[in-house]
Amino acid sequence: MPEAATAPVAEPRPPRKLYRSGDGRWLGGVARGLAGHLGLPVIWVRFAFVGLFMADGLGALLYAAFWFFVPLGIGGVDAQRPPSLVTSETSPDGRRRLVARKPDKGQIVALLLMVVVALVFVGNVDLGGGAKAYLWPTVLVGAGVALVWRQADNARRARWAEVGRHRRTVTLLRSVAGVLLVTAGVTGIFVLQGSAAHLGSVLQAALAVLVGITLLAGPYLVRMTQDLSEERLMRIRAQERAEVAAHVHDSVLHTLTLIQRNAESPGEVRRLARAQERDLRAWLYKPEGNGKDEDDEPTTLAEAVKRNAAEVEDKHGVPIEVVVVGDCPLDEKISAQMQAGREAMVNAAKYGGEGGAVQVFAEVEGRTVFVSVRDRGPGFDLDSIPADRMGVRESIIGRMERNGGTARLRAVPDGGTEVELEMERAENTS
Amino acid sequence: MSDPTETDGTAGAGEAAESAQPASGGPGERHVRVVLVDDHRMFRTGVQAEIGQTAQTGVEVVGEAADVDQAVTVITATRPEVVLLDVHLPGGGGVEVLRRCAPLMSDAEQPVRFLALSVSDAAEDVIGVIRGGARGYVTKTITGTDLVDSVFRVQEGDAVFSPRLAGFVLDAFASTDAPPVDEDMDRLTQREREVLRLIARGYAYKEIAKQLYISVKTVESHVSAVLRKLQLSNRHELTRWATARRLV
């Protein structure tokens, strides 16, 4: 924990609860966790465990019990060592996340030392005659169990920290190694117990029992895991729904407040309502991720058209209905077309907005991108516009022609104006 | 999920006040019996207020329903000519209502026709209802006058395409169009495509007729043909379209 490392004194301690330490641990993190809990140096706790281990292996039993029952946590406060395995860092989305680091050399040395101590212990201790023969298999089983348990810890930690996919093979290898060790140990015990001749029948019996248990417990286990994963899925969904609901309620309340305040000006009320409607649509009906980041620059035609329409609508208070058929990435020419289209929308909203909603239609057909902007206003005659008014000629027609497209303005039979913009997409984009 | 639609219902009611003037061309002889299916009471009330003045609009609302079971019961009991059907409904949605009312739709003497009326923006929802047998789709922002018009068009057997629906349909057929080996039934002719495009651009049937130098009747028959193709086009193609859309 960076906070603990930088300001160990000033930091008020949270109520202490016993956790195993996930970072800087040698085996299960029990010693570090205990040390943090008791406020002792880790090395003392470790020595205590080693000492107890000498007393007929009591330390090992205790350690195993702690490992089994104490949950893995982040902590095991230890001022001597900065955290080495897991640190938390703040990701761009503001969430704190744990980052796994590679185990350092000290840890490997320590593990080796532990093994050596165990071997020496096993070699020296005298348990008397028959019992001693079982020691080796027991150590094997112990090592296998330790390997698998630690693996389980890692799997849990991997849920906090984002661990890369390549680790999965390592995970699998370790599990397999653990299982092999345990199997070897157990087989050893059997071999020692009876004569090797009985091994076959013993294995058969064991297999039969295993199969029986699987048959009996299998369905329950399968259902349990299914229930569990289903429950997790539901939880994720509920969380997502809660997020949407929170956003929606918040923004709706906001809009309603604004509407109450602006009740006398119908234009403003309409504008607010339209903006809110757009926002809600983006949240409810778009595929995830779309339309939620208002600040991103649009990268495709559909996004660009919708964004432009939304902005013009907000600015001029005229509803703009958008229909987009097909989609393509934006290139330079299309961007120019979008700007011309925006200009056309502004004109339509300004001069033709009284006739009702402005209708925008964009279609990608092969390499051709067609945009039409139509209003139902009083109509518009290009020739009657004074030559010094460059709005339409320059920013719509001129811009389209400079980029190799065409623009047509025409009066619609029953009133209103339609601007048609046509552009070929650039060759290099696919 | 219910609040936003409720909000929309309010908007619809507000529009009622705006467009409460008598509908165009005092119908008099026109008459249609309608059932409203929508799970938001406010919206039903709004629509009822907008189009329910039988003397002026010729529309008589003979029943209302708030979920799938209720809808099936009410429709079977009242046998309306047109059902205004919401896409999102508790109990399986508009598609389920259509499925269970399929025998009524194909009734030779007095077929029940469905017009989808939705706030949904999702192409999947809308295309689903149309494929289920609805004769058209309009958004809930439609004005009272236009809604009355649409109801009568559906009653007469026409298809009603809003610009948005036309966009969805063009989209759906655009991607299925790529392999020309498919049977003709599933494809749109050049003319149908043109008509759809003009609808998507916001043209009314009359304007389309003028633009293409054809009669309004011809426009109607093109639109009906598109609707038929959409309802008959094979499932495989549209599924592919839906998956492709999600990939975009």
Side-chain angles (χ1 to χ4, degrees):
Chain A
M1 305 265 86
E3 294 94 338
T6 49
V9 189
E11 199 76 12
R13 250 163 210 261
R16 286 192 301 193
K17 200 173 171 227
L18 182 56
Y19 282 114
R20 286 185 290 116
S21 163
D23 34 279
R25 60 190 181 156
W26 286 358
L27 198 56
V30 172
R32 281 181 67 83
L34 263 181
H37 188 65
L38 300 172
L40 295 172
V42 188
I43 197 78
W44 291 16
V45 183
R46 284 192 177 133
F47 270 125
F49 270 118
V50 172
L52 285 172
F53 182 48
M54 294 306 174
D56 282 350
L58 180 63
L61 268 180
L62 259 179
Y63 196 95
F66 271 116
W67 197 346
F68 195 79
F69 288 112
V70 178
L72 183 67
I74 328 156
V77 184
D78 182 13
Q80 294 172 338
R81 272 175 69 154
S84 63
L85 251 182
V86 176
T87 52
S88 66
E89 72 177 25
T90 311
S91 55
D93 57 353
R95 238 175 272 142
R96 293 179 75 76
R97 99 165 33 130
L98 292 157
V99 178
R101 283 200 196 152
K102 290 206 163 89
D104 52 328
K105 271 182 197 154
Q107 198 186 6
I108 293 163
V109 171
L111 275 172
L112 282 177
L113 248 165
M114 213 155 12
V115 172
V116 169
V117 168
L119 290 183
V120 169
F121 170 73
V122 169
N124 289 347
V125 91
D126 183 23
L127 292 168
K132 189 170 180 183
Y134 290 109
L135 253 174
W136 274 108
T138 316
V139 168
L140 274 184
V141 171
V145 168
L147 204 59
V148 173
W149 279 15
R150 246 205 94 146
Q151 187 54 55
D153 279 354
N154 278 352
R156 183 181 295 177
R157 214 185 50 214
R159 238 182 280 150
W160 310 336
E162 279 171 36
V163 177
R165 192 169 291 171
H166 67 281
R167 285 221 171 179
R168 247 175 239 169
T169 40
V170 182
T171 307
L172 199 69
L173 276 181
R174 282 176 64 162
S175 302
V176 168
V179 169
L180 278 181
L181 277 176
V182 173
T183 317
V186 171
T187 317
I189 291 175
F190 274 126
V191 172
L192 287 168
Q193 214 164 32
S195 64
H198 291 153
L199 183 63
S201 50
V202 167
L203 277 181
Q204 269 177 12
L207 202 68
V209 170
L210 264 181
V211 168
I213 289 175
T214 317
L215 281 180
L216 285 175
Y220 290 104
L221 279 176
V222 168
R223 192 180 307 160
M224 209 156 73
T225 43
Q226 276 173 351
D227 283 358
L228 269 177
S229 64
E230 195 174 323
E231 196 241 53
R232 191 185 300 165
L233 199 73
M234 297 299 273
R235 213 172 44 230
I236 291 171
R237 279 213 194 115
Q239 219 168 344
E240 207 168 80
R241 214 174 296 143
E243 196 190 327
V244 172
H247 172 91
V248 163
H249 291 166
D250 210 45
S251 62
V252 167
L253 278 181
H254 195 84
T255 310
L256 288 178
T257 314
L258 285 174
I259 284 180
Q260 285 172 32
R261 252 187 231 155
N262 293 292
E264 318 76 43
S265 83
E268 181 64 9
V269 168
R270 208 171 297 136
R271 192 189 68 76
L272 284 168
R274 288 284 294 178
Q276 181 61 68
E277 183 193 343
R278 245 190 351 258
D279 192 38
L280 284 181
R281 281 186 191 286
W283 273 81
L284 294 176
Y285 299 123
K286 296 283 147 53
E288 68 279 2
N290 257 13
K292 297 189 183 179
D293 302 315
E294 286 273 309
D295 308 324
D296 287 353
E297 276 300 302
T299 54
T300 68
L301 175 84
E303 280 175 39
V305 172
K306 283 175 190 160
R307 174 74 62 89
N308 280 337
E311 282 169 8
V312 174
E313 187 176 284
D314 277 351
K315 207 165 158 207
H316 298 276
V318 174
I320 298 185
E321 284 167 9
V322 182
V323 175
V324 182
V325 176
D327 203 355
C328 70
L330 284 182
D331 59 40
E332 221 169 276
K333 296 169 96 181
I334 305 301
S335 298
Q337 189 183 19
M338 289 299 102
Q339 281 162 358
R342 188 194 170 103
E343 207 59 39
M345 287 182 218
V346 171
N347 279 341
K350 265 196 205 158
Y351 305 115
E354 309 89 51
V358 172
Q359 264 150 332
V360 176
F361 172 72
E363 185 181 20
V364 182
E365 200 186 25
R367 304 214 65 80
T368 312
V369 177
F370 174 82
V371 175
S372 119
V373 177
R374 151 171 211 192
D375 65 63
R376 287 160 188 280
F380 172 86
D381 182 10
L382 187 61
D383 298 328
S384 69
I385 303 279
D388 61 321
R389 298 280 294 276
M390 302 301 277
V392 170
R393 283 199 191 90
E394 266 315 296
S395 57
I396 299 180
I397 302 176
R399 184 178 274 146
M400 288 302 286
E401 276 166 5
R402 275 196 301 279
N403 286 281
T406 55
R408 270 189 312 278
L409 267 84
R410 56 197 191 83
V412 180
D414 284 341
T417 312
E418 178 156 25
V419 179
E420 296 176 339
L421 309 169
E422 215 172 308
M423 182 77 85
E424 293 283 314
R425 286 161 61 192
E427 282 304 321
N428 51 358
T429 53
S430 58
Chain B
M1 286 297 250
S2 72
D3 294 14
T5 335
E6 201 77 69
T7 318
D8 183 84
T10 334
E15 236 167 58
E18 215 175 284
S19 56
Q21 300 94 354
S24 55
E29 72 284 353
R30 295 205 298 182
H31 184 86
V32 61
R33 299 168 71 243
V34 172
V35 164
L36 284 177
V37 182
D38 197 299
D39 53 330
H40 292 103
R41 202 171 47 82
M42 265 231 265
F43 184 76
R44 290 203 306 271
T45 318
V47 173
Q48 166 79 280
E50 243 172 307
I51 67 172
Q53 276 79 40
T54 317
Q56 285 153 30
T57 58
V59 176
E60 184 192 352
V61 179
V62 294
E64 292 185 13
D67 62 33
V68 170
D69 291 332
Q70 231 178 339
V72 175
T73 320
V74 171
I75 292 166
T76 318
T78 56
R79 293 303 288 268
E81 287 151 284
V82 176
V83 177
L84 284 177
L85 181 69
D86 190 13
V87 175
H88 291 292
L89 273 184
V95 178
E96 179 66 16
V97 176
L98 289 163
R99 203 181 57 75
R100 283 164 58 180
C101 290
L104 299 180
M105 278 193 269
S106 49
D107 187 292
E109 271 173 39
Q110 201 219 37
V112 177
R113 294 194 166 114
F114 289 82
L115 175 61
L117 179 61
S118 171
V119 75
S120 168
D121 232 359
E124 288 81 2
D125 287 346
V126 176
I127 297 275
V129 180
I130 296 298
R131 282 184 56 82
R135 302 289 302 170
Y137 156 82
V138 290
T139 45
K140 283 185 175 174
T141 50
I142 192 171
T143 61
T145 323
D146 286 349
L147 184 57
V148 170
D149 266 6
S150 305
V151 166
F152 278 111
R153 284 219 318 256
V154 167
Q155 182 206 16
E156 283 150 21
D158 275 347
V160 173
F161 277 47
S162 66
R164 198 179 290 279
L165 175 57
F168 291 155
V169 174
L170 277 174
D171 230 357
F173 280 99
S175 55
T176 60
D177 200 44
V181 284
D182 286 315
E183 59 265 56
D184 286 340
M185 194 59 214
D186 275 350
R187 304 180 59 215
L188 299 182
T189 65
Q190 196 52 42
R191 203 54 169 197
E192 285 161 358
R193 196 179 293 276
E194 252 170 299
V195 169
L196 269 191
R197 215 170 264 149
L198 288 171
I199 292 177
R201 283 160 70 172
Y203 282 61
Y205 282 16
K206 246 188 292 172
E207 294 166 331
I208 296 172
K210 257 188 217 167
Q211 176 87 20
L212 299 178
Y213 304 107
I214 52 180
S215 73
V216 176
K217 266 267 154 290
T218 318
V219 175
E220 282 172 5
S221 71
H222 281 313
V223 172
S224 294
V226 171
L227 186 76
R228 203 175 55 246
K229 286 179 186 181
L230 185 61
Q231 288 170 350
L232 294 179
S233 63
N234 63 62
R235 191 166 295 276
H236 167 71
E237 296 284 316
L238 281 174
T239 317
R240 210 176 59 193
W241 162 75
T243 18
R245 268 180 72 87
R246 243 164 262 133
L247 288 178
V248 165

